[in-house]
């Protein structure tokens, strides 16, 4: 049994609360796939991103991790310290080139088990900022690497980004990663918050 509650607070927060219980041991790794572009441009390339992470789960050519980690400090994969998304979007780094951008699980540098700040996105032109908090150990950064959607406007490559909080992908097959098994009778309970503000300096 799974419950997901979306709330909007007076502090301009979108809060996502997930809970689940099971009568048998089962895999449980819940996330969301919301797309964000907090600026006015057609892409997020000029927006600044920080993700509090020193490593990602290394992937193969099909973007599947197999239990390995990759230290990303000082590499094009790192957003710690912050940088614009466009700075390394077109890097020759093999996995970025394969993705046409970023589609990787970042291992969040956590201080405890509670709700913690792990990322922000900032659009200097508009002053808009989105701060991100979670109780989960990982976040998948996806930069709309292969988009070609038409609605009221055309949404092409890098039109938005996703910050999908989660347990590590493929963890059922990778004992090196934190488990995503929900044991019978236990309660799965996680929270993710996206907080919006305007910087006026």
């Amino acid at each position: 049994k799974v419950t997901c509650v979306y709330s909007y607070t007076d502090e301009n927060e979108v809060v996502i609360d997930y809970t689940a219980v099971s009568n048998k041991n089962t895999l449980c790794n819940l996330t969301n796939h919301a797309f964000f572009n907090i600026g006015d441009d057609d892409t997020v390339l000029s927006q600044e991103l920080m993700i509090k992470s020193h490593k990602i789960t290394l992937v193969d050519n099909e973007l599947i991790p197999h239990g390995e980690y990759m230290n990303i400090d000082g590499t094009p994969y790192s957003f710690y310290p912050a940088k614009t998304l466009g700075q390394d979007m077109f890097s020759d780094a093999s996995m970025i080139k394969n993705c046409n951008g970023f589609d990787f699980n970042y291992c969040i540098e956590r201080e405890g088990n509670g709700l913690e700040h792990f990322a922000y996105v900032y659009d200097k032109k508009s002053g808009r900022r989105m701060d991100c908090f979670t109780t989960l150990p990982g976040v998948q950064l996806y930069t709309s690497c292969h988009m070609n959607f038409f609605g009221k406007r055309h949404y092409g490559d890098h039109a938005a980004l996703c910050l999908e909080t989660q347990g590590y992908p493929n963890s059922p097959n990778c004992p090196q990663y934190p488990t995503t098994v929900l044991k019978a009778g236990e309660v799965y309970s996680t929270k993710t918050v996206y907080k919006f503000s305007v910087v006026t300096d």
Side-chain angles (χ1 to χ4, degrees):
K1 182 179 179 180
V2 175
T3 302
C4 181
V5 177
Y6 288 79
S7 307
Y8 185 72
T9 74
D10 291 339
E11 288 73 42
N12 297 318
E13 298 168 322
V14 175
V15 181
I16 310 175
D17 286 293
Y18 307 90
T19 56
V21 292
S22 178
N23 59 2
K24 294 183 180 180
N25 290 355
T26 189
L27 301 173
C28 186
N29 189 7
L30 306 177
T31 188
N32 78 92
H33 195 51
F35 286 77
F36 296 101
N37 183 337
I38 61 171
D40 299 314
D41 294 340
D42 291 335
T43 73
V44 293
L45 295 176
S46 65
Q47 293 173 31
E48 182 178 278
L49 172 65
M50 186 281 290
I51 300 177
K52 191 179 178 183
S53 174
H54 295 293
K55 62 185 179 181
I56 61 174
T57 47
L58 187 65
V59 296
D60 62 20
N61 288 338
E62 296 182 336
L63 305 183
I64 306 299
H66 296 282
E68 298 177 280
Y69 296 95
M70 175 181 171
N71 187 303
I72 58 173
D73 290 344
T75 74
Y77 301 94
S78 178
F79 289 91
Y80 195 44
K83 67 182 180 185
T84 62
L85 282 146
Q87 179 172 320
D88 291 308
M89 188 73 76
F90 308 104
S91 167
D92 285 332
S94 59
M95 291 188 295
I96 295 175
K97 197 170 185 179
N98 182 46
C99 288
N100 187 35
F102 296 86
D103 192 4
F104 311 116
N105 172 64
Y106 286 75
C107 307
I108 298 170
E109 289 293 316
R110 298 189 54 85
E111 297 178 4
N113 297 318
L115 187 69
E116 294 183 18
H117 183 265
F118 72 91
Y120 74 77
V121 186
Y122 173 56
D123 179 62
K124 187 175 182 180
K125 293 180 183 178
S126 66
R128 300 182 194 115
R129 177 175 166 130
M130 180 177 77
D131 284 277
C132 309
F133 306 78
T134 194
T135 59
L136 286 158
V139 59
Q140 189 83 13
L141 169 64
Y142 175 64
T143 55
S144 307
C145 305
H146 300 284
M147 282 188 79
N148 189 29
F149 299 149
F150 290 88
K152 292 183 178 179
R153 62 190 294 181
H154 174 239
Y155 298 93
D157 290 353
H158 316 127
L161 63 82
C162 303
L163 290 166
E164 306 166 32
T165 54
Q166 60 184 4
Y168 297 173
N170 203 27
S171 56
N173 298 312
C174 302
Q176 304 92 325
Y177 296 161
T179 183
T180 52
V181 174
L182 174 61
K183 294 183 178 180
E186 292 188 355
V187 177
Y188 173 97
S189 178
T190 71
K191 183 188 293 283
T192 292
V193 177
Y194 301 101
K195 181 180 175 65
F196 299 89
S197 61
V198 176
V199 178
T200 58
D201 56 21

